Amino acid sequence: MSMDKSDVRYTAGKMFFSLGAILFALLSFFLANKTPYFAFLVSGLALCSLGDLLLALSGERKKTANPVLFLAGALSFALAHILFCLYFLYLSSFHVSFFLLLSPLTSLFLFLLVKGKQIDGGKLTPFLYIYGLFVGMLLGLGANLLFLDPGSR
């Protein structure tokens, strides 16, 4: 797939911020956080960077996006979310709370956006809902950590 100047700038910007997040995480590790579970965080950030690159190369901003590259990018983000969830579970003692409802609610929200024609996932719509579960799970675990386990920060 050929990229115009706008696509190149878009991809470069995404990669700049993704790699910047990895750099800040590594600085945090070397300056303060020496946990062995830190690998979950850095690996997750690396998978997000890969996902950003694959999505950009898929032509995500065009109607004719390459579905294989798009799906590979989304899968990379889903795996990253699993690693982030494992890291959050390490950081906190797990609490069952209403925050965990964020996982199905995120998929429901995406479902409503698709039904309202605000998002068109095409053939990849089922994967959009699954990805929504992962995003919601990460949000719920992060909220659990922030609000229910303040001593772990």
Side-chain angles (χ1 to χ4, degrees):
M1 165 163 289
S2 66
M3 296 176 76
D4 61 23
K5 286 183 183 181
S6 170
D7 291 331
V8 171
R9 284 192 303 268
Y10 173 75
T11 303
K14 286 181 85 161
M15 297 311 302
F16 174 78
F17 288 109
S18 291
L19 296 175
I22 292 172
L23 176 64
F24 279 115
L26 289 172
L27 283 172
S28 169
F29 175 75
F30 289 115
L31 296 176
N33 187 356
K34 303 284 192 219
T35 173
Y37 294 94
F38 183 76
F40 289 135
L41 179 63
V42 173
S43 299
L45 290 170
L47 283 169
C48 285
S49 292
L50 177 63
D52 276 337
L53 180 62
L54 290 169
L55 289 176
L57 293 176
S58 78
E60 67 178 330
R61 299 187 322 155
K62 297 176 175 58
K63 289 266 187 197
T64 58
N66 179 323
V68 173
L69 286 175
F70 186 87
L71 192 55
L75 180 61
S76 182
F77 274 107
L79 292 173
H81 279 73
I82 291 170
L83 291 173
F84 293 147
C85 288
L86 290 171
Y87 189 62
F88 277 155
L89 286 171
Y90 162 75
L91 290 176
S92 68
S93 50
F94 181 74
H95 301 282
V96 176
S97 72
F98 71 94
F99 292 122
L100 298 180
L101 291 175
L102 289 171
S103 187
L105 288 177
T106 304
S107 284
L108 176 63
F109 179 68
L110 288 170
F111 176 79
L112 294 173
L113 288 175
V114 169
K115 289 299 175 195
K117 304 208 183 301
Q118 300 300 310
I119 294 178
D120 179 15
K123 293 185 246 181
L124 300 175
T125 298
F127 297 104
L128 183 66
Y129 300 141
I130 294 168
Y131 185 66
L133 287 172
F134 284 110
V135 170
M137 183 174 20
L138 183 60
L139 287 171
L141 289 170
N144 265 344
L145 178 64
L146 181 63
F147 296 111
L148 302 178
D149 201 4
S152 65
R153 287 179 266 129

